[in-house]
């Protein structure tokens, strides 16, 4: 997680990864902790990360507590300042990396190959090892510099998935829109999920129940 607005997207992706039986190495940047505090009121603390993560993931996109019952046993948290952490090395086993949400500063750092923190370092490792990197940029409008950085990431093999909800899946709640974006991120990563209704070629299908 980087510091862009959009913590509900990250929560939805995390829950879906865990539901899919995936193990997760979680890196929460310093800036994203401020965003999480602002958007949810939850202070993410290294010493209490399990309690804080469980409280956060239990909330719906509308902020209502107790909406979900997450099992976080498969999550391992790494401090963003720990450049000796497992994900900082190419020899550490990983299928890929998802940056959700991705700020423009994070996009720039990864595109330029910087390693100012573990988030950027792990992204660089993911690219050099030929693993899948999915970047869900959450910013508007995008200036030319950021667009060029996104093109660079695409050239490097990353999947750029803007946090742009689609409405053809029949969204009736804010959680549906969040889950659509999370689902598209997971599609790009090759992770199975059931977060949104897929297009089947039937006009008006979003208005009818499956």
């Amino acid at each position: 997680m980087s510091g862009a607005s959009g913590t509900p997207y990250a929560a939805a992706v995390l829950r879906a990864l865990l539901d899919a039986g995936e193990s997760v190495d979680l890196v929460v940047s310093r800036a994203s902790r401020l965003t999480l505090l602002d958007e949810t009121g939850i202070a993410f603390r290294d010493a209490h990360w399990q309690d804080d993560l469980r409280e956060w993931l239990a909330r719906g996109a509308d902020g209502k507590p107790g909406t979900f019952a997450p099992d976080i046993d498969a999550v391992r948290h790494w401090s963003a300042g720990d450049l000796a952490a497992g994900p900082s090395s190419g020899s550490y086993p990983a299928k890929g990396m998802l940056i959700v949400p991705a700020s423009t500063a994070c996009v720039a750092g990864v595109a330029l190959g910087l390693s100012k923190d573990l988030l950027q370092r792990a992204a660089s490792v993911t690219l050099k090892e030929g693993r899948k990197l999915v970047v869900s940029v959450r910013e508007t409008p995008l200036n030319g510099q950021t667009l060029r950085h996104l093109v660079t990431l695409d050239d490097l093999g990353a999947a750029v998935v803007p946090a742009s909800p689609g409405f053809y899946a029949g969204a009736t709640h804010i959680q549906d829109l969040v889950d659509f974006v999370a689902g598209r991120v997971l599609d790009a990563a090759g992770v199975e999920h059931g977060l949104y209704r897929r297009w089947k070629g039937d006009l008006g299908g979003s208005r009818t129940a499956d």
Side-chain angles (χ1 to χ4, degrees):
M1 290 177 58
S2 74
S5 176
T7 55
Y9 294 127
V13 167
L14 275 167
R15 286 192 298 263
L17 285 171
L18 295 172
D19 288 344
E22 300 287 351
S23 296
V24 177
D25 290 287
L26 178 63
V27 181
V28 182
S29 75
R30 291 184 176 88
S32 67
R33 296 176 191 227
L34 297 177
T35 305
L36 184 64
L37 180 63
D38 182 58
E39 294 185 349
T40 69
I42 296 173
F44 193 90
R45 304 157 295 175
D46 285 342
H48 305 280
W49 71 267
Q50 290 173 311
D51 292 335
D52 298 336
L53 179 63
R54 190 176 291 107
E55 179 185 0
W56 172 42
L57 295 187
R59 296 191 181 191
D62 58 2
K64 183 179 179 180
T67 301
F68 301 97
D71 180 355
I72 64 169
D73 287 345
V75 178
R76 184 171 185 178
H77 168 254
W78 303 92
S79 174
D82 185 4
L83 291 178
S88 69
S89 172
S91 65
Y92 185 79
K95 294 179 180 179
M97 181 176 179
L98 315 177
I99 304 179
V100 185
S103 66
T104 54
C106 176
V107 166
V110 176
L112 295 173
L114 304 181
S115 294
K116 73 170 188 176
D117 61 10
L118 179 58
L119 186 67
Q120 292 184 6
R121 172 59 185 168
S124 294
V125 167
T126 300
L127 290 173
K128 82 179 182 68
E129 295 295 326
R131 299 167 183 161
K132 194 65 177 182
L133 175 65
V134 182
V135 179
S136 185
V137 61
R138 215 306 309 161
E139 186 64 81
T140 190
L142 297 173
N143 63 27
Q145 187 176 45
T146 298
L147 291 170
R148 286 188 287 272
H149 288 149
L150 291 172
V151 170
T152 296
L153 291 179
D154 179 76
D155 289 341
L156 292 171
V160 177
V161 183
S164 303
F167 291 83
Y168 61 81
T172 59
H173 189 276
I174 186 174
Q175 188 67 55
D176 298 326
L177 297 174
V178 168
D179 284 349
F180 180 89
V181 172
R184 297 300 286 151
V185 168
L186 294 170
D187 288 343
V191 177
E192 293 186 5
H193 64 88
L195 289 177
Y196 67 89
R197 180 187 299 135
R198 298 185 180 277
W199 176 251
K200 298 179 181 179
D202 298 322
L203 292 177
S206 64
R207 302 174 188 170
T208 59
D210 286 338

